[in-house]
Amino acid sequence: MEGKEELRRIAFWADALTDAEAARAMKGIAERQFAAGAYICHRGDRLDYWTGVVSGLIKISAISESGKAMTFAGTGAGGWFGEGTVLKNETRQYDLVALRDTHLAMMNRATFMWLFENSVGFTRFLVHQLNERMGQFIATIEGDRIHDPLARVARNLAWLFNPVLYPNTGKHIEITQEELALLAGVSRQVANKSLLTLEEAGLLVTEHGGITVIDLQRLARYGA
DNA sequence: TCATTAAATTGTT
DNA sequence: AACAATTTAATGA
């Protein structure tokens, strides 16, 4: 009971575990802080941790052959990622960058594998998470062909509101236009104009240091 | 609680 | 990239 409460503070999937499983999970998790702009890991590094964002914002990106940065996904508070890398026991395929001061929870591989093989609740959660991420990656591949920066901003923003990957977030998120620009791989000016356009279309409301989404469905499909 | 200032964020060029 | 305008946060009376 005690370990579960503690785990619940940093992991929304704590409820899927038994008390004993939660206690074991907690023992295998280390918490680390990263400053804004810091690299959490570079492509090719061996990072054998399943990682959760307790607070902050990170970007998952890769450098294409042409040398252009390509963002695969952004993850805000409550998001967990890297299960694919840990399961396959291989090096990271992407760069991880903290876009703002970020607090991470990192579960070591042994604990992750133990939960995967012994906890029904955890395995069920993982399947759900992988399935959802699959859909998002497919959308990402399609999105990379879209050069319209407006659509890129809209999609990146919509990902941050994925209710399955980040169940804690409501319709509001704290993110500056500069941070969103970094995520979408556009300039801050473009992000600013895009947001104003999206606001005019009635899809969202811009605020200071934050955005409230009105129509997530249309936002995710914008330009498609 | 209110006024002043500093810092952060946004809007524009 | 640089600038001005706007909003929030912090400070002290």
Side-chain angles (χ1 to χ4, degrees):
Chain A
M1 191 68 114
E2 197 174 320
K4 191 164 179 174
E5 285 303 318
E6 197 179 351
L7 183 62
R8 209 196 303 267
R9 289 196 199 96
I10 58 175
F12 67 89
W13 39 266
D15 287 328
L17 274 55
T18 66
D19 290 344
E21 290 164 355
R24 180 143 185 174
M26 203 61 217
K27 283 181 188 169
I29 292 176
E31 300 187 38
R32 289 187 60 186
Q33 286 284 149
F34 289 88
Y39 270 81
I40 295 157
C41 94
H42 289 85
R43 181 178 186 172
D45 284 353
R46 181 162 287 276
L47 187 72
D48 284 337
Y49 293 95
W50 188 48
T51 309
V53 179
V54 178
S55 69
L57 183 69
I58 65 164
K59 177 175 75 170
I60 302 169
S61 63
I63 309 296
S64 67
E65 293 178 11
S66 58
K68 193 173 184 181
M70 197 164 68
T71 297
F72 284 126
T75 300
W80 285 76
F81 61 91
E83 62 273 357
T85 300
V86 174
L87 277 172
K88 287 182 287 185
N89 193 25
E90 62 185 14
T91 60
R92 293 275 170 164
Q93 305 293 310
Y94 324 109
D95 289 322
L96 299 179
V97 185
L99 292 183
R100 71 169 81 132
D101 289 345
T102 297
H103 179 194
L104 294 184
M106 310 174 86
M107 180 189 288
N108 66 50
R109 182 165 191 276
T111 302
F112 180 89
M113 293 308 291
W114 185 88
L115 284 171
F116 178 55
E117 291 175 7
N118 295 281
S119 170
V120 175
F122 188 76
T123 303
R124 181 178 301 150
F125 161 77
L126 262 191
V127 170
H128 195 216
Q129 164 115 339
L130 281 166
N131 187 44
E132 189 65 28
R133 201 183 295 292
M134 170 83 71
Q136 189 156 103
F137 275 149
I138 289 172
T140 302
I141 293 168
E142 292 172 347
D144 282 334
R145 293 181 184 145
I146 301 172
H147 291 298
D148 179 18
L150 192 57
R152 296 247 304 265
V153 171
R155 277 173 186 269
N156 274 282
L157 184 57
W159 294 342
L160 290 176
F161 283 92
N162 185 316
V164 177
L165 262 37
Y166 321 123
N168 294 333
T169 58
K171 291 179 179 174
H172 176 81
I173 188 176
E174 275 199 3
I175 183 172
T176 65
Q177 296 183 358
E178 185 172 12
E179 289 168 336
L180 183 56
L182 286 170
L183 264 186
V186 301
S187 69
R188 189 173 68 79
Q189 290 97 317
V190 170
N192 178 257
K193 285 179 202 164
S194 300
L195 285 173
L196 292 179
T197 303
L198 292 170
E199 185 170 22
E200 265 193 48
L203 300 183
L204 54 83
V205 177
T206 61
E207 294 144 6
H208 296 282
I211 294 166
T212 296
V213 171
I214 296 174
D215 192 335
L216 180 58
Q217 290 297 321
R218 281 210 290 152
L219 190 63
R221 298 173 138 274
Y222 197 91

